[in-house]
Amino acid sequence: MGQLLDPLLIIGLALNFVALGVSRIRGVINAVAAQGMLLGILALFVHPGVRLRGILLVGVMILIKGFVIPKMLIHAMREADVQHEVNPAISPITSLLLGAMGTGLALVYSYTLPLAEEHQHLLLVPASLATCWTGFLVLTTRKKAIMQVLGYLILENGVFLFGLLLLEAMPFLVEVGALLDLFTGVFIMAIIVHHISREFASTSTEHLSELRD
Amino acid sequence: MAYFLVLFPLLMAVLTYVLPSERLRPWLLPAGALVQLVLVGSILNQAENATSVSGLGGWLLLDPLGKLVLGFLCLLFALCSLSVPGYLAQHKDRSNRVFCANLFLIQAMMTLVTLSYHLGLMWVAMEATTLASAPLIYFNQSARSLEATWKYLLIGSVGIALALLGSFFLAYAMLKAGRGSTLRFDQLIHEAPYLSSAWLQSAFILLFIGYGTKIGLAPMHTWKPDAYGEAPGVVGAILAGGVTSCAFLAILRVYQICNAGTDASFAREFMVFIGLFSMAIAAVFMAQQRDIKRLLAYSSVEHMGILILGIGIGGLAVYGSLLHLINNGLTKCALFLSAENIQKSYGSKLTGQVRGALRRVPISGALFLAGFLAITGSPPFGPFLSEFTIAKAAASDGQFWACGLFLLVLASVFVGMGATVLSVVQGDPPVETPATPYRERVGTCGPILLLMSFALLLGLFIPSPLESLLREAAASFEVKR
């Protein structure tokens, strides 16, 4: 199954670019949901002999990342009557260029890190770093609260991608890390759904800019 | 005993949550905090047995560094909790259930951080402090506090996610070196010389940025002025004195591993740079700052910079830095609580509307002024001693640039912060800002007086048990050459 891993990782990387390039929030939500589900499937490819606990984790991740979170986000959009456009602070072309640059740098940097023999030919490490970078880009260049949550989720996907290397050796660390990060994501979204939209009748973080020096 | 130290505040959190009386609930905080303080005090007293406080197969262990931070946090939490009933008495319009229960939850998680002897467990506890403190920042339920909570959660969570990636890096380094799949600190320190320096250094950078975001080092500090500025004073005090100390402990643990591994000079240089950079950024934003709570938040950024700078300088400065952790925590809490009283009596925290605090709220005004003198390193208060120790260590180690810049920034902070503080305490209260019904009482001023007394005491005399604990904790950072 190992030979299928890299193509799947490339799909994951492509989803990063979808998240950076599409102009409608719904498109970004779908890309992040697809990436989340893909990560769950990837876990089974990296560790074919994964035990019941690992399968449970994968199931929970696919369920939360692929269905629960996107549903919550779409609900939040409808509730607060959010406009469907991403409205980034930088143009989509610049976003894509920065994304490509980050992916290139991630590839170069990951070659300087010594990998275990069985991981040497995999794209896992550069894909993880590139996804973290994409998450950062979305977090810092998008104004809407929903987009920032999506940025956080992409970043978290990147961290989990690296965690896949450790799923067998240190299941506790990876599982707890992934689940607690997910819980945080849901927690932050609950704030948007119940408070930001109520307070400002919009979920743009442009409204959250009263506090400054 | 280790389990009980974490479980007791957790049980108190549950008890507080289910207690139906709004009037009695705030009193559970000082009661529970004092019991915890007595418990921890008795453990620390039995010095030889303290290392036996362990559990979860070595994942929980109280080493000298943990003892120091745990003892300090318990004292700080107990002192701050004394002001909670007084604070909540002025906010009878809203339920205090979540507020009180989450304060206990924060104490439980802070205790868990100090006891964690496992990288993963410590990460979980740190993340839990973030989640538990978010509702407290939103206590005032205004648009501004919502914005602050949003930034705190989002930026804090990004930091914590990076710390997780750093933990994964370290775990992978262990696997790659064939040293087993453990993340217990003693084993990581033992195996560090065999780990790949590329992984170790990358892990250090990620963990430093991750936990550095949590303690609010520049440039990852942007959440701090907002969160501290909008949070209730007692919450700001516990965040600035307690939660940041936990994140600092996390950085110290990571540095211990790095120090035991390959040449850690890169880590020390990095810390000196970030420490000075944080101080300088804070100094810039403190000059002409109009909001007194934001001023204190930037002061916190500055002092986190000092703590990291001390560790980066090494040698005696590590001792100075650990002492400064305590001095800064005590003084900063006193400042936040007195600023809250001043804000209450004026209905504002902006310098344009707040003047003559010494006349309107003489005790809080005087303590705010004393707190300013202490935090800016004026003798005879504790921070003077710790900052002097750091400067002396830098000079005697030949790090004249670091020493010179450190003193220069300290001087500019004194001037910048002084201008705001003096305009708040001096003069006559403005007629356009009428006095609110707030009156100074023992409940709201007593804890500040106690905090400042401790800060003064530590400047005049360091009790020998604390001295030996500081030395023991600092010894674990000796540079391996």
Side-chain angles (χ1 to χ4, degrees):
Chain A
M1 282 202 272
Q3 65 269 30
L4 271 175
L5 193 62
D6 276 351
L8 285 177
L9 282 169
I10 291 170
I11 297 176
L13 282 172
L15 287 170
N16 285 343
F17 288 100
V18 175
L20 285 173
V22 292
S23 60
R24 295 177 73 82
I25 296 178
R26 194 64 187 260
V28 186
I29 294 176
N30 289 339
V32 175
Q35 198 177 47
M37 288 198 282
L38 190 72
L39 286 188
I41 299 164
L42 271 174
L44 300 176
F45 278 87
V46 177
H47 303 289
V50 71
R51 278 168 291 176
L52 183 67
R53 224 169 72 173
I55 293 174
L56 265 178
L57 173 76
V58 167
V60 168
M61 281 207 39
I62 292 180
L63 185 73
I64 295 181
K65 288 191 169 179
F67 299 99
V68 177
I69 291 181
K71 223 177 166 62
M72 278 180 77
L73 287 172
I74 291 166
H75 171 75
M77 278 178 67
R78 207 174 301 133
E79 189 92 335
D81 201 16
V82 176
Q83 285 186 344
H84 293 276
E85 277 72 36
V86 172
N87 291 340
I90 55 173
S91 73
I93 300 290
T94 319
S95 292
L96 286 169
L97 274 175
L98 285 171
M101 221 170 69
T103 307
L105 285 174
L107 269 167
V108 174
Y109 182 66
S110 58
Y111 279 120
T112 66
L113 295 169
L115 292 174
E117 207 168 309
E118 64 270 29
H119 301 140
Q120 265 168 6
H121 305 293
L122 294 179
L123 279 174
L124 258 179
V125 178
S128 156
L129 297 178
T131 308
C132 286
W133 167 249
T134 308
F136 252 124
L137 265 182
V138 174
L139 262 166
T140 50
T141 60
R142 279 22 179 199
K143 292 176 197 163
K144 287 183 174 156
I146 285 183
M147 284 305 295
Q148 294 186 342
V149 171
L150 286 164
Y152 171 74
L153 290 172
I154 297 172
L155 174 73
E156 201 271 321
N157 280 348
V159 176
F160 183 75
L161 259 179
F162 193 91
L164 287 179
L165 292 173
L166 303 161
L167 193 56
E168 212 156 13
M170 300 184 190
F172 166 80
L173 181 68
V174 181
E175 288 163 8
V176 168
L179 291 176
L180 207 53
D181 267 351
L182 271 186
F183 177 70
T184 311
V186 174
F187 194 79
I188 297 175
M189 264 182 309
I191 293 183
I192 305 182
V193 179
H194 296 294
H195 297 290
I196 296 186
S197 54
R198 191 189 65 194
E199 194 76 44
F200 301 110
S202 151
T203 60
S204 170
T205 47
E206 275 182 327
H207 294 278
L208 300 175
S209 55
E210 204 184 321
L211 303 176
R212 58 175 64 186
D213 290 297
Chain B
M1 190 46 116
Y3 301 119
F4 189 72
L5 285 177
V6 180
L7 284 178
F8 176 69
L10 275 182
L11 284 173
M12 287 303 291
V14 175
L15 182 66
T16 312
Y17 195 81
V18 296
L19 188 78
S21 167
E22 289 280 326
R23 198 170 53 83
L24 283 181
R25 215 178 279 132
W27 290 100
L28 282 184
L29 268 159
L34 287 173
V35 171
Q36 178 87 344
L37 181 65
V38 171
L39 264 173
V40 169
S42 66
I43 289 174
L44 296 185
N45 239 344
Q46 305 160 338
E48 69 277 12
N49 293 336
T51 45
S52 67
V53 179
S54 61
L56 292 176
W59 283 29
L60 296 178
L61 186 91
L62 200 57
D63 69 342
L65 191 58
K67 273 194 258 176
L68 179 75
V69 181
L70 176 63
F72 159 64
L73 287 179
C74 276
L75 175 70
L76 193 83
F77 191 86
L79 291 172
C80 287
S81 69
L82 291 174
S83 71
V84 172
Y87 173 77
L88 289 176
Q90 299 154 42
H91 293 273
K92 288 182 178 155
D93 53 323
R94 66 197 68 157
S95 168
N96 56 34
R97 187 185 296 271
V98 172
F99 188 89
C100 296
N102 276 39
L103 278 175
F104 270 126
L105 215 53
I106 291 178
Q107 189 184 27
M109 290 307 110
M110 290 197 303
T111 308
L112 185 58
V113 172
T114 60
L115 286 168
S116 294
Y117 217 56
H118 184 278
L119 195 63
L121 186 62
M122 189 179 69
W123 179 85
V124 171
M126 283 303 308
E127 172 93 12
T129 60
T130 308
L131 295 178
S133 43
L136 302 183
I137 297 172
Y138 187 49
F139 182 66
N140 289 325
Q141 297 189 357
S142 63
R144 291 171 67 89
S145 62
L146 178 62
E147 179 180 345
T149 312
W150 168 254
K151 286 183 185 167
Y152 175 71
L153 257 183
L154 198 70
I155 300 174
S157 302
V158 169
I160 288 287
L162 287 182
L164 181 64
L165 186 61
S167 305
F168 283 172
F169 272 32
L170 211 48
Y172 191 78
M174 286 287 280
L175 277 186
K176 166 76 178 64
R179 316 306 295 192
S181 55
T182 176
L183 286 178
R184 250 172 54 189
F185 287 122
D186 52 343
Q187 290 170 337
L188 281 170
I189 290 170
H190 185 254
E191 305 293 351
Y194 308 102
L195 303 184
S196 141
S197 59
W199 281 112
L200 196 55
Q201 291 180 0
S202 305
F204 175 79
I205 300 278
L206 283 171
L207 284 160
F208 185 88
I209 294 174
Y211 290 125
T213 306
K214 193 86 181 98
I215 69 174
L217 288 168
M220 298 88 74
H221 68 289
T222 46
W223 60 271
K224 210 170 194 177
D226 299 344
Y228 289 9
E230 298 310 314
V234 64
V235 175
I238 288 172
L239 287 177
V243 177
T244 51
S245 303
C246 290
F248 180 63
L249 176 66
I251 289 184
L252 291 180
R253 297 273 190 220
V254 175
Y255 173 62
Q256 275 180 323
I257 300 164
C258 196
N259 195 26
T262 51
D263 180 21
S265 56
F266 93 94
R268 285 193 294 280
E269 285 163 15
F270 183 61
M271 286 195 283
V272 168
F273 172 74
I274 291 287
L276 286 171
F277 182 68
S278 297
M279 289 181 71
I281 291 288
V284 170
F285 283 95
M286 277 158 92
Q288 310 212 320
Q289 178 59 249
R290 291 182 61 242
D291 183 320
I292 52 174
K293 279 192 174 171
R294 289 178 80 84
L295 178 80
L296 299 182
Y298 281 114
S299 169
S300 176
V301 174
E302 177 215 350
H303 286 272
M304 291 304 119
I306 295 176
L307 295 181
I308 290 296
L309 175 73
I311 302 299
I313 287 171
L316 185 63
V318 174
Y319 172 92
S321 196
L322 294 175
L323 179 61
H324 196 66
L325 179 75
I326 298 171
N327 286 328
N328 169 57
L330 292 168
T331 317
K332 199 55 60 57
C333 283
L335 277 165
F336 268 106
L337 295 180
S338 50
E340 179 71 38
N341 291 351
I342 293 173
Q343 184 186 356
K344 282 271 175 306
S345 71
Y346 285 84
S348 170
K349 54 192 172 84
L350 302 177
T351 49
Q353 289 145 354
V354 181
R355 280 197 310 273
L358 279 173
R359 284 172 191 260
R360 188 173 284 183
V361 272
I363 304 173
S364 302
L367 288 169
F368 189 64
L369 181 62
F372 152 70
L373 290 172
I375 206 72
T376 45
S378 313
F381 294 100
F384 165 74
L385 193 62
S386 41
E387 287 174 7
F388 181 74
T389 309
I390 294 171
K392 194 176 131 193
S396 58
D397 195 42
Q399 302 184 47
F400 297 112
W401 271 106
C403 180
L405 288 171
F406 174 56
L407 294 175
L408 183 72
V409 180
L410 281 183
S412 56
V413 165
F414 185 86
V415 175
M417 194 174 178
T420 305
V421 171
L422 290 179
S423 83
V424 166
V425 295
Q426 288 182 326
D428 293 318
V431 280
E432 66 272 18
T433 322
T436 62
Y438 171 81
R439 295 288 170 272
E440 293 194 305
R441 293 183 203 287
V442 178
T444 51
C445 294
I448 313 172
L449 199 61
L450 281 173
L451 283 159
M452 282 310 297
S453 309
F454 278 108
L456 178 65
L457 179 78
L458 286 180
L460 302 171
F461 157 76
I462 299 176
S464 63
L466 175 62
E467 172 79 18
S468 55
L469 205 50
L470 281 166
R471 292 208 178 279
E472 234 181 306
S476 59
F477 292 92
E478 274 169 17
V479 177
K480 313 273 187 299
R481 295 186 198 274

